[in-house]
Amino acid sequence: MFPNALLQWEDFAPGNGRRILETYRERICTFNDDMQGTGAITLAAAISAGRACGNPLRGQRVVIFGSGTAGIGIADGLRDAMMNEGLSKREATERIWCVDKAGC
């Protein structure tokens, strides 16, 4: 009915965000606010801070408190940016730790 519309949505339950994006990304223009919106804003802040301090993102180690949809979206964005700065996927992934309220 609306072929040029962007569908922006929130998660319906933890763990659904990535599955829904992967299922529909080739069929409709869709945007998960937690995974992509929060992730993009946090990534922009981290890149800006690195530039201001003269320390590229690839040299940082990051702890994300909260392993829900938003936290994982932040981790995905940071990992991808570190890879764009020359790290392998494994090297970038090893620099990011996601912990929850129990510290796991």
Side-chain angles (χ1 to χ4, degrees):
M1 180 175 260
F2 301 103
N4 297 316
L6 164 66
L7 176 61
Q8 178 181 353
W9 49 278
E10 295 283 337
D11 291 331
F12 303 109
N16 283 336
R18 187 177 310 277
R19 180 183 56 78
I20 292 170
L21 281 172
E22 289 174 0
T23 299
Y24 294 102
R25 77 173 359 124
E26 299 298 324
R27 291 189 264 175
I28 61 173
C29 184
T30 183
F31 179 84
N32 177 288
D33 189 57
D34 285 339
M35 289 184 77
Q36 295 167 302
T38 303
I41 296 300
T42 304
L43 177 59
I47 290 172
S48 295
R51 287 181 182 163
C53 296
N55 297 316
L57 193 56
R58 72 178 176 269
Q60 304 302 313
R61 288 182 168 74
V62 179
V63 176
I64 299 169
F65 183 72
S67 298
T69 307
I72 298 305
I74 291 167
D76 286 346
L78 291 170
R79 182 203 59 223
D80 292 348
M82 289 177 178
M83 290 168 58
N84 285 337
E85 292 183 355
L87 294 181
S88 69
K89 186 173 184 177
R90 179 177 170 222
E91 290 169 328
T93 301
E94 289 175 348
R95 294 180 177 275
I96 301 168
W97 292 272
C98 295
V99 297
D100 62 15
K101 60 187 174 190
C104 310

